[in-house]
Amino acid sequence: MPNANRCAFKGDGLYIWDDKGRKMLDGFAGLWCVNVGHNCPEVKAAIAKQMDELAYYQLFDGVSHPMAEALSNRLIQMTQQEDMRRMLYGMGGSDGVDTALKVACQYWILQGKPQRTRFISLAK
């Protein structure tokens, strides 16, 4: 359990500083969401540029955005061996799992086996 008396308040590159000014290696990378490091100039510039255009918009129901299309095209090129043709984006794990289950159900419907709707999960 982390020391509740510590408070990280600054980050730069691979390091964070606590409220007492101690420099520490951020081995968790902000719990895996800061894998390019803290205070990265390229990331900050990209965020600022995007905020000037459109901070956020959903990509459901046939709606898209040029940056989402550019990323999709790049990912499709990177996965040519797998014959990837579409990308589905989500906000986190729960909607990712939800989408994967729906895709699996649709797969079996297209295979002529719509009755294949059961999923196995592991639980404690």
Side-chain angles (χ1 to χ4, degrees):
M1 178 106 188
N3 184 343
N5 296 325
R6 249 188 223 173
C7 178
F9 73 96
K10 175 185 170 187
D12 193 35
L14 302 175
Y15 299 96
I16 58 171
W17 283 260
D18 69 8
D19 56 343
K20 295 182 177 40
R22 293 179 290 207
K23 181 179 177 180
M24 299 170 281
L25 177 66
D26 185 8
F28 285 109
L31 279 180
W32 310 288
C33 64
V34 191
N35 54 2
V36 296
H38 297 276
N39 199 23
C40 180
E42 295 88 357
V43 172
K44 290 185 340 184
I47 290 170
K49 181 177 182 246
Q50 188 58 56
M51 291 296 285
D52 286 341
E53 294 175 15
L54 181 65
Y56 169 80
Y57 194 73
Q58 56 85 19
L59 298 177
F60 295 108
D61 198 27
V63 177
S64 190
H65 184 274
M67 294 305 290
E69 291 181 20
L71 176 60
S72 296
N73 289 332
R74 185 171 179 192
L75 292 171
I76 288 168
Q77 287 176 351
M78 292 169 66
T79 57
Q80 280 182 332
Q81 289 180 325
E82 290 82 20
D83 197 28
M84 188 76 64
R85 287 181 241 153
R86 295 181 198 260
M87 296 293 142
L88 300 172
Y89 295 100
M91 294 297 291
S94 61
D95 59 331
V97 170
D98 182 61
T99 300
L101 295 175
K102 290 177 182 177
V103 168
C105 286
Q106 184 63 29
Y107 171 83
W108 287 114
I109 289 170
L110 294 173
Q111 296 299 312
K113 299 179 181 181
Q115 71 280 6
R116 295 195 70 171
T117 57
R118 293 195 178 153
F119 294 92
I120 298 172
S121 69
L122 301 175
K124 290 184 176 185

